[in-house]
């Protein structure tokens, strides 16, 4: 790790220059991960605020690059309020014509699996496969097929007769066809993020349960103050606060990131009925209907979610109780698509929130006025799977500079009015 730390310092400037920015000596910087400097207790190369999937992977990759890293979260990694909280998230390669996300997903899956293997937790990826249920003239589906083909991702194209033969427990309309991704599946979300944080700490980063106060001023940020009174200084700050970004930077992001209420339901499968667990039942998406779901994993239930954006919510205070309306919509869809489950009981409901941007693309850019502050978020309902790719991208920008992709820039994030479909 020491030589990689030297590489990191070389990459972002000399230790002297960095120390000047951090108000501590080069010897202190080169000698250890954490140093005291008077009242502002600790100094790091990078402080990452927010231990959701984006912050956790950013901290992990930054630490692997040799940086001294502080990761902090006000409620804990993948807590019940966070967008990364909850049971499960899909990892799929198909993204219509959006090749960059297909590539990012293909890059991310082995990184997730590698980290789980390192932690002795291979079960945190469930290889259920992912089935796209498409209609005949659906452009997104044809684009997905073309992109998967172009980048060499493994998939099978299934005609209606094949769908019906393979998945008799699913009701398909007459004009359906399918794309099956055999290597994709489900990440066990909350526990996966916790494992990333554990591994980051094992690599030598510090993790703290602290609420950072919103930074003020228009210049270089020297430290963050926490609600507890603790202060942490760093050369670079990464704010990966997900749906809290509009609260942390109200003037800049108040209208650019739109946290929307999302409700998810788990239905009970009859005992001894294996038609709704993998491998008989894959994870599935039907984007035309704005529904997706997963097989019964770990006896938790058959998951169904309506992907349409709910009302704007505050992640601190929104009610986490499911509404009867949302439950009725989910039950209706379940009965239509999976007739054998029409009377299945609801085992569990979860209420979460997306953090939508106007273009559905992530926000990974520098703050326009605080030159050493990075804004990382805007997962827009599809960010989880990309954690490792986001972490690598953030690390490359922090350590090597370079222009951010236009699609991730603040400049492309308009006031949010419409739904972007990914
Ligand atoms: C219901 C639902 C289903 C989804 N399904 C999928 C899917 O199938 N596949 C997929 O890839 N993606 C999916 N997503 C999207 C994905 O989960 C999110 O894009 C991703 O989790 C966002 O992560 P994040 O780290 O940006 O935000 P978060 O996980 O919300 O993390 C932000 C963290 O910042 C902390 N924080 C905020 N402010 C402060 C502060 N001032 N001080 C300290 N800490 C602070 C919070 O406590 C929080 O832990 C889904 C999202 C939801 C809600």
């Amino acid at each position: 790790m020491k030589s990689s730390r030297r590489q990191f310092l070389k990459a972002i400037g000399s230790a002297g220059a960095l120390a000047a920015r951090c108000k501590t000596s080069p010897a202190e910087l080169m000698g250890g991960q954490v140093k005291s400097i008077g009242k502002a207790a600790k100094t790091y190369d990078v402080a990452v605020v927010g231990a959701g999937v984006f912050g956790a992977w950013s901290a992990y990759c930054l630490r692997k690059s040799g940086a001294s890293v502080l990761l902090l979260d006000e409620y804990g990694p993948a807590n019940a309020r966070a967008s990364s909280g909850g049971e499960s998230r899909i990892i799929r390669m198909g993204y219509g014509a959006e090749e960059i996300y297909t590539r990012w997903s293909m890059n991310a899956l082995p990184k997730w699996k590698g980290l789980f293997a390192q932690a002795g937790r291979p079960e945190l990826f469930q290889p259920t496969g992912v089935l796209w249920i498409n209609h005949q003239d659906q452009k997104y589906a044809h684009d997905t097929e073309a992109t998967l083909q172009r980048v060499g991702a493994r998939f099978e194209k299934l005609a209606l007769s094949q769908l019906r033969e393979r998945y008799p427990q699913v009701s398909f309309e007459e004009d359906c066809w399918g794309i099956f991704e055999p290597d994709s599946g489900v990440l066990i979300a909350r526990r996966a993020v916790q494992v990333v944080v554990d591994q980051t700490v094992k690599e030598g980063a510090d993790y703290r349960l602290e609420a950072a106060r919103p930074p003020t001023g228009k210049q270089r940020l020297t430290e963050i103050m926490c609600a507890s009174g603790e202060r942490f200084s760093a050369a670079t700050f990464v704010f990966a606060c997900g749906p809290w970004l509009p609260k942390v930077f109200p003037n800049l992001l108040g209208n650019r990131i739109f946290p929307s209420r999302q409700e998810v339901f788990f239905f009970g499968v009859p005992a001894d009925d294996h038609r709704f667990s993998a491998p008989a039942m894959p994870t599935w998406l039907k984007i035309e209907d704005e529904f997706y779901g997963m097989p019964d994993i770990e006896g938790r239930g058959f998951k169904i979610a309506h992907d349409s954006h709910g009302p704007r919510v505050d992640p601190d205070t929104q009610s986490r109780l499911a509404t009867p309306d949302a439950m009725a919509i989910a039950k209706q869809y379940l009965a239509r698509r999976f007739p054998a489950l029409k009377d299945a009981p609801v085992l569990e409901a979860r209420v979460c929130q997306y953090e939508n941007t106007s273009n559905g693309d992530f926000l990974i850019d520098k703050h326009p006025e605080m030159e050493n502050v990075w804004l990382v978020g805007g997962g827009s309902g599809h960010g989880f799977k990309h954690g490792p790719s986001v972490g690598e991208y953030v690390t490359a920008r922090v350590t090597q500079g370079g222009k951010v992709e236009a699609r991730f820039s603040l400049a492309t994030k308009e006031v949010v009015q419409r739904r972007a479909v990914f």
Side-chain angles (χ1 to χ4, degrees):
M1 209 65 201
K2 276 232 164 78
S3 72
S4 65
R5 173 152 172 78
R6 270 196 294 277
Q7 279 157 13
F8 174 81
L9 291 172
K10 200 169 155 210
I12 66 164
S14 71
L18 181 62
R21 292 203 292 274
C22 296
K23 299 195 184 98
T24 189
S25 72
E28 281 177 308
L29 271 175
M30 296 305 287
Q33 303 308 315
V34 180
K35 291 289 158 192
S36 295
I37 46 164
K39 222 173 158 237
K42 313 240 171 183
T43 292
Y44 296 85
D45 294 329
V46 189
V48 179
V49 180
V53 72
F54 282 3
W57 271 104
S58 297
Y60 180 79
C61 295
L62 281 158
R63 179 67 200 125
K64 290 294 266 185
S65 81
S68 62
V69 174
L70 167 69
L71 174 63
L72 55 87
D73 198 289
E74 60 182 335
Y75 296 120
N79 62 79
R81 288 176 167 101
S83 289
S84 306
E87 248 341 84
S88 44
R89 295 288 185 272
I90 300 175
I91 179 159
R92 38 116 178 162
M93 308 300 144
Y95 258 94
E98 304 286 343
E99 185 175 317
I100 185 171
Y101 289 115
T102 296
R103 289 190 182 279
W104 274 32
S105 205
M106 288 171 75
N107 172 62
L109 182 54
K111 307 276 162 65
W112 278 113
K113 288 202 223 171
L115 194 97
F116 296 154
Q118 194 179 305
R121 304 291 302 279
E123 79 283 3
L124 297 181
F125 171 67
Q126 295 275 328
T128 62
V130 169
L131 175 68
W132 295 83
I133 306 171
N134 310 312
H135 280 291
Q136 219 46 259
D137 298 322
Q138 206 177 323
K139 182 174 176 334
Y140 190 92
H142 292 292
D143 287 346
T144 295
E145 184 190 354
T147 307
L148 294 177
Q149 195 124 45
R150 196 164 54 246
V151 303
R154 281 210 316 146
F155 74 97
E156 265 181 277
K157 190 171 172 178
L158 301 174
L160 179 64
S161 56
Q162 291 170 298
L163 284 174
R164 285 184 169 156
E165 195 184 318
R166 243 190 238 192
Y167 309 113
Q169 71 279 47
V170 185
S171 163
F172 297 104
E173 292 84 357
E174 289 302 316
D175 66 340
C176 279
W177 62 286
I179 294 174
F180 180 66
E181 300 180 13
D183 302 324
S184 299
V186 173
L187 296 159
I188 304 301
R190 178 175 54 87
R191 282 173 277 162
V193 173
Q194 289 169 352
V195 160
V196 180
V197 174
D198 286 350
Q199 294 300 306
T200 306
V201 170
K202 278 199 179 121
E203 293 289 344
D206 282 351
Y207 168 74
R208 296 288 297 268
L209 188 67
E210 293 277 359
R213 294 232 169 95
T216 52
K218 294 192 168 181
Q219 280 150 7
R220 222 186 147 71
L221 189 63
T222 53
E223 62 177 21
I224 39 175
M225 176 86 83
C226 293
S228 65
E230 281 252 40
R231 295 151 64 192
F232 300 96
S233 62
T236 302
F237 297 84
V238 174
F239 283 84
C241 302
W244 283 265
L245 280 170
K247 297 180 87 170
V248 180
F249 300 98
N251 295 335
L252 191 65
L253 300 178
N255 285 326
R256 287 193 168 90
I257 291 186
F258 171 87
S260 63
R261 179 180 167 90
Q262 306 300 144
E263 303 190 26
V264 171
F265 297 91
F266 294 82
F267 290 91
V269 171
D272 281 337
D273 187 342
H274 301 298
R275 292 174 297 166
F276 299 99
S277 310
M281 184 74 222
T283 293
W284 57 275
L285 301 101
K286 181 119 184 20
I287 58 163
E288 200 173 56
D289 299 347
E290 297 189 318
F291 269 96
Y292 66 88
M294 292 170 198
D296 182 19
I297 294 171
E298 297 179 340
R300 204 74 195 203
F302 188 79
K303 178 173 169 177
I304 282 218
H306 192 198
D307 194 34
S308 87
H309 292 180
R312 183 176 186 126
V313 286
D314 178 332
D316 285 305
T317 58
Q318 77 149 317
S319 162
R320 303 288 168 167
L321 296 178
T323 55
D325 282 359
M327 199 180 299
I329 291 170
K331 278 186 168 176
Q332 217 172 24
Y333 194 81
L334 184 76
R336 180 181 138 202
R337 185 73 51 208
F338 308 95
L341 293 180
K342 75 176 168 36
D343 298 318
V346 174
L347 299 184
E348 190 178 332
R350 284 209 85 252
V351 179
C352 191
Q353 66 283 310
Y354 292 164
E355 346 74 65
N356 308 289
T357 60
S358 58
N359 57 3
D361 283 310
F362 308 150
L363 169 63
I364 307 176
D365 202 354
K366 272 193 184 175
H367 190 289
E369 286 161 344
M370 300 177 200
E371 61 181 87
N372 60 337
V373 168
W374 284 83
L375 308 167
V376 177
S380 301
H382 69 107
F384 196 93
K385 66 183 81 59
H386 298 293
S389 299
V390 169
E392 288 173 357
Y393 191 82
V394 169
T395 300
R397 297 289 76 73
V398 167
T399 60
Q400 297 156 26
K403 218 168 149 22
V404 296
E405 287 271 333
R407 65 166 67 224
F408 300 138
S409 70
L410 185 64
T412 58
K413 306 294 177 285
E414 306 297 331
V415 169
V416 179
Q417 286 159 345
R418 64 182 176 81
R419 169 179 168 70
V421 181
F422 275 120

